[in-house]
Amino acid sequence: MNGPIPSEIGQVASLNNLNLFGNDMTGTVPSHIGLLGSTLELLLLGSNRFGGTLPAELSLLTRLTSLDISGNAFVGSPAVLEDLRALTTLYLQSNRFVDIGGICDDNFKLW
């Protein structure tokens, strides 16, 4: 699979897991990803070619327990992830983040 995340992804009802790991996905993570907030528990976007900053709408993924955004070219701060209280596993390595200090606490594993 390659290219950007299709905008139709936000229209999928009852999606629990979204695995796009290890493809040739490009562009930014679209804001419509936040429309999956009431059901999404696992989001794997690692090992792609995503870039830019993380959208604020990621904070709407309140049921998310595992997030892998490693191996991309994200920039800025991942502070938008601070509000994800259900998050227990987070993979951030191999990006271009400037500050990850605010999201580190004892509630989840940071990889």
Side-chain angles (χ1 to χ4, degrees), residues 11-60:
Q11 299 171 5
V12 178
S14 301
L15 184 64
N16 294 326
N17 301 315
L18 178 57
N19 185 351
L20 298 174
F21 186 92
N23 288 284
D24 194 22
M25 306 294 292
T26 59
T28 59
V29 175
S31 60
H32 56 262
I33 200 85
L35 296 174
L36 303 172
S38 64
T39 60
L40 197 65
E41 296 175 2
L42 174 78
L43 180 58
L44 305 178
L45 302 177
S47 295
N48 282 287
R49 294 188 299 137
F50 291 118
T53 58
L54 297 175
E57 289 80 3
L58 277 178
S59 67
L60 300 174

Side-chain angles (χ1 to χ4, degrees), residues 74-97:
F74 292 115
V75 297
S77 171
V80 66
L81 306 176
E82 291 178 6
D83 294 330
L84 298 179
R85 297 296 167 209
L87 198 63
T88 57
T89 304
L90 176 61
Y91 294 89
L92 294 174
Q93 72 270 18
S94 300
N95 281 288
R96 299 178 186 150
F97 292 123

